[in-house]
Amino acid sequence: MCPYVFFFIVFHRSIDGFLNPRKRNAHVPLWNYTLLRTQIFIVYFIAGIKKLDADWVEGYSMGSLSRHWLFDPFKLIMSEEMTSLVIVHWGGLILDLTAGYLLFFDVTRPAALFFVSYFHCMNSQLFSIGMFSYTMLATSPLFCYPDWPRRLVAKSSSCLHWLLPATQPPQESAACVYPGRKGKSQSRLRHKIGAAFTVLYIIEQLFLPYSHFITQGYNNWTNGLYGYSWDMMVHSRSHQHVKITYKDGITGEIGYLNPGVFTQTRRWKDHADMLKQYAVCLHGLLGAYNISEPEIYFDVWVSINDRFQQRLFDPTVDIVKADWSPFRRTPWLKPLLVDLSPWRAKFQEVEDSLDNQTDVVFIADFPGLYLENFVSEDLGNTSIQVLQGEVNVEIVKDAKNFTLKEGERMQLPAGEYHKVFTVSPGPSCYMYIYVNTTAVTLEQKLTRLRELKEKVENGSETSPLPPELQPLLSGTIDDVSSADPLVVAYLRREMRVAEAERRRNATIIQRFERFVNKKYYMMRRSFLMTAIALRNLVLGRPSLEQLAQEVAFANIKYEDTSRESRKEHPREHEHSDL
């Protein structure tokens, strides 16, 4: 957040210089540079300290990041696993811990500028973090000598000097103290206030990353308010199952809500304070649907840094009435089962032993609770195996119960609900192993369609294709609703493959154009959403239909416009959208 102070001060000084000639092209007090440089140093160094977390050092935090094409050069000399551990995790740790020091000294500054610039350019492509990467790039020159812009302008063409900052030596400023000069070496009250502000500000910035013992209500599995914990990608989460249950406070009627209904954000699934707000919001909105005094229950299953999927919140607590305070620990937050972290090495062994058509999900649950699950008919071969503890599996339709202990396994019927009760005194650990038989069958059919198309194109298949398969050759379908769903699926996949190939073979100019357009639509969305919010605050909210149209217009992405362009000019592309 605080690198943006830099732009405020630059803007403030520019306006002052425009309005007051005495401040134009004048010296800047040293405390300004001290504050900004220290702020950037803290951003790097505290992020490095947070990366000393065991999950980061062992390579579990960003395990899939090395698959990105940006790391392809490193994978020429090392495996993907080693690239993740050495380059992503250890390299990020070393850079954050040392960047502030290396930028400070003249000898190491050129190398530091190169590495931090490379680092932030990569981050801008790897993560959706807004302007942060570009802000950090803009603040790197703060560690150079203050006159570097003046020296750079002096070496530029004289015809550009009228557009660039002045090259004349700066005039002395009344805001500065000049030691050794008569009448100008004595500090005044304003200087003492500036020095005190600098010291207090730096102390506050050093304290905030470790102030979570005060704001305990915002501590979940990670400490601190969202966006203020300084964890810097140390924790990655995946959600396997989210269920929202409401209960009518008068009739006792029970129902279920789609996760994320009435909101566009997904962050409530990971933060107790946001979950509390969301529950209160749902409580107020459900009254319009003839649900009186609704109770709201959440069952959120999360895996953090490749651990077991486990509950984050107590599913038996009505969050509407649940106690929450910013200064007390949240009582309905379930603890992270860190004692089970060593199982992660076993996970990799299990996954490596499976074929490409088989998937696995690892579950851990607390004593006295149960997981209700539905096995889709697509998952024709699903089994559950206990890794630790003891569970009771209830097949709901047949009202049958089976007790499984460590190492035992049973097949689960497809198309039916079942419940898994943890009956051991400690947490239970088990895994679902399943094969998506529908996906396997679909893949086999799509492969046969591709082989048929290749035979027709190379002349080895002389029989004419039936009408429903003709789109295989043209690549387009006039009426999707009446077309063969298998052919539609095939053409859509071919379109995605062609799009990926087009991006892979794009020229530097085309990639730069796509990058600029994506950033334009991102900034466009920010501007329009801000304008809509301000309009709603000042003039009130319009009808839901109008608001939905405005939000949809603001949410238009570059990919949407690119897709429409390919529809309008199908001859310029191999496939049109379906």
Side-chain angles (χ1 to χ4, degrees):
M1 59 172 181
C2 293
Y4 296 99
V5 175
F6 166 73
F7 293 104
F8 169 76
I9 291 180
V10 170
F11 179 78
H12 174 70
R13 296 291 294 178
S14 301
I15 296 297
D16 281 354
F18 178 78
L19 298 176
N20 189 346
R22 294 181 59 186
K23 296 183 178 181
R24 192 177 306 160
N25 192 26
H27 288 137
V28 176
L30 183 60
W31 71 267
N32 288 186
Y33 288 102
T34 301
L35 185 149
L36 293 171
R37 289 169 176 167
T38 305
Q39 181 67 77
I40 303 305
F41 173 86
I42 291 175
V43 169
Y44 286 115
F45 189 68
I46 298 297
I49 292 178
K50 296 288 186 175
K51 286 183 174 64
L52 292 173
D53 181 87
D55 282 0
W56 184 274
V57 175
E58 295 174 11
Y60 289 110
S61 296
M62 293 279 119
S64 60
L65 198 62
S66 59
R67 299 172 188 170
H68 198 279
W69 64 265
L70 283 170
F71 296 97
D72 287 351
F74 301 104
K75 287 184 281 189
L76 295 175
I77 57 176
M78 61 180 70
S79 65
E80 184 174 297
E81 292 75 14
M82 288 302 297
T83 299
S84 175
L85 180 63
V86 177
I87 304 300
V88 176
H89 291 90
W90 294 357
L93 169 63
I94 294 172
L95 179 70
D96 279 336
L97 283 177
T98 61
Y101 295 103
L102 297 179
L103 285 168
F104 189 78
F105 297 104
D106 294 347
V107 176
T108 56
R109 188 177 301 120
L113 287 172
F114 170 79
F115 282 111
V116 298
S117 298
Y118 184 66
F119 174 72
H120 293 305
C121 288
M122 290 182 69
N123 283 345
S124 70
Q125 301 303 300
L126 292 170
F127 308 109
S128 298
I129 50 179
M131 294 298 296
F132 180 77
S133 299
Y134 308 105
T135 302
M136 294 301 293
L137 282 170
T139 56
S140 295
L142 282 171
F143 291 87
C144 301
Y145 286 100
D147 65 340
W148 73 266
R150 199 181 309 277
R151 289 186 281 113
L152 182 63
V153 171
K155 295 179 181 179
S156 62
S157 175
S158 58
C159 62
L160 299 176
H161 284 186
W162 68 278
L163 286 173
L164 301 173
T167 58
Q168 295 83 9
Q171 61 177 324
E172 294 184 352
S173 172
C176 298
V177 176
Y178 299 90
R181 297 191 186 183
K182 187 176 181 180
K184 296 185 178 181
S185 61
Q186 186 176 3
S187 60
R188 295 187 289 274
L189 178 61
R190 63 184 299 181
H191 301 129
K192 296 177 181 179
I193 293 176
F197 169 78
T198 302
V199 173
L200 291 175
Y201 182 82
I202 293 173
I203 292 175
E204 177 239 4
Q205 291 297 304
L206 291 171
F207 169 75
L208 282 178
Y210 300 97
S211 62
H212 310 314
F213 65 94
I214 298 176
T215 56
Q216 296 186 57
Y218 297 100
N219 297 343
N220 297 289
W221 287 349
T222 58
N223 290 329
L225 294 79
Y226 177 81
Y228 293 88
S229 62
W230 291 83
D231 288 336
M232 301 293 182
M233 307 297 178
V234 172
H235 305 289
S236 60
R237 298 175 176 85
S238 64
H239 299 81
Q240 182 70 25
H241 174 70
V242 179
K243 182 171 72 173
I244 305 177
T245 306
Y246 69 83
K247 180 179 179 181
D248 192 300
I250 296 178
T251 66
E253 178 188 358
I254 294 178
Y256 303 94
L257 300 174
N258 288 329
V261 65
F262 300 122
T263 182
Q264 293 184 345
T265 182
R266 296 175 296 177
R267 291 171 180 166
W268 54 268
K269 294 185 289 187
D270 296 312
H271 304 276
D273 59 307
M274 295 186 183
L275 192 79
K276 176 68 175 180
Q277 296 177 41
Y278 186 36
V280 173
C281 174
L282 291 176
H283 180 272
L285 293 172
L286 290 179
Y289 298 87
N290 298 323
I291 301 172
S292 304
E293 301 178 11
E295 301 172 4
I296 309 295
Y297 301 89
F298 293 88
D299 196 10
V300 180
W301 290 77
V302 189
S303 169
I304 186 169
N305 292 348
D306 293 337
R307 289 181 174 85
F308 281 100
Q309 289 280 342
Q310 66 156 97
R311 285 184 165 96
L312 178 56
F313 308 108
D314 190 336
T316 64
V317 174
D318 175 15
I319 304 300
V320 176
K321 300 177 182 177
D323 179 56
W324 182 86
S325 168
F327 305 111
R328 294 194 305 271
R329 180 185 174 277
T330 304
W332 36 273
L333 177 74
K334 304 300 288 185
L336 177 63
L337 297 173
V338 293
D339 293 341
L340 302 178
S341 297
W343 275 95
R344 289 181 291 190
K346 182 68 174 178
F347 294 169
Q348 192 61 48
E349 296 178 11
V350 173
E351 291 172 350
D352 292 341
S353 67
L354 303 176
D355 56 47
N356 294 332
Q357 299 174 349
T358 305
D359 289 317
V360 61
V361 177
F362 300 96
I363 305 291
D365 203 3
F366 296 92
L369 298 179
Y370 69 91
L371 168 64
E372 183 179 20
N373 209 349
F374 177 80
V375 178
S376 171
E377 294 182 355
D378 294 334
L379 309 180
N381 185 13
T382 302
S383 63
I384 181 173
Q385 179 175 339
V386 178
L387 302 174
Q388 177 179 304
E390 183 177 343
V391 302
N392 187 288
V393 180
E394 176 188 346
I395 307 301
V396 177
K397 181 179 179 181
D398 299 334
K400 294 182 179 179
N401 293 276
F402 304 88
T403 299
L404 299 179
K405 297 182 179 180
E406 183 174 334
E408 295 181 343
R409 177 176 180 174
M410 69 170 288
Q411 201 76 11
L412 296 171
E416 295 184 20
Y417 280 95
H418 67 273
K419 296 180 180 179
V420 183
F421 295 84
T422 297
V423 296
S424 55
S428 66
C429 306
Y430 51 93
M431 62 180 177
Y432 285 100
I433 303 176
Y434 60 95
V435 177
N436 192 328
T437 53
T438 302
V440 172
T441 304
L442 176 62
E443 184 63 30
Q444 293 172 347
K445 293 180 178 179
L446 293 177
T447 301
R448 287 197 290 268
L449 283 181
R450 185 177 67 251
E451 293 173 350
L452 177 60
K453 179 184 177 183
E454 292 174 353
K455 289 180 180 180
V456 172
E457 291 177 342
N458 60 31
S460 58
E461 177 62 51
T462 57
S463 302
L465 292 177
E468 64 269 16
L469 297 183
Q470 287 295 330
L472 292 177
L473 300 179
S474 63
T476 59
I477 294 179
D478 296 329
D479 186 5
V480 177
S481 60
S482 62
D484 187 333
L486 185 61
V487 175
V488 173
Y490 173 81
L491 292 180
R492 281 177 171 164
R493 188 174 71 168
E494 290 296 296
M495 181 190 66
R496 291 193 297 267
V497 172
E499 176 66 16
E501 187 68 18
R502 186 181 66 84
R503 291 186 183 180
R504 193 180 304 113
N505 298 328
T507 64
I508 295 179
I509 295 177
Q510 289 172 332
R511 293 186 180 187
F512 178 75
E513 179 184 3
R514 182 172 183 273
F515 169 79
V516 171
N517 281 321
K518 288 186 68 175
K519 296 303 176 185
Y520 162 74
Y521 278 96
M522 180 183 70
M523 295 180 183
R524 170 186 178 274
R525 180 186 183 278
S526 300
F527 174 79
L528 291 176
M529 294 296 283
T530 302
I532 292 172
L534 292 175
R535 189 274 316 274
N536 292 349
L537 289 173
V538 176
L539 303 178
R541 193 181 71 180
S543 65
L544 291 179
E545 293 77 10
Q546 178 183 340
L547 187 61
Q549 292 176 356
E550 294 173 348
V551 172
F553 178 73
N555 284 331
I556 293 176
K557 298 181 180 180
Y558 168 68
E559 289 79 4
D560 300 330
T561 59
S562 178
R563 190 177 298 117
E564 290 298 325
S565 175
R566 289 197 296 275
K567 283 185 178 181
E568 295 173 2
H569 307 283
R571 295 183 180 180
E572 299 177 7
H573 305 278
E574 294 183 8
H575 300 280
S576 64
D577 288 342
L578 302 178

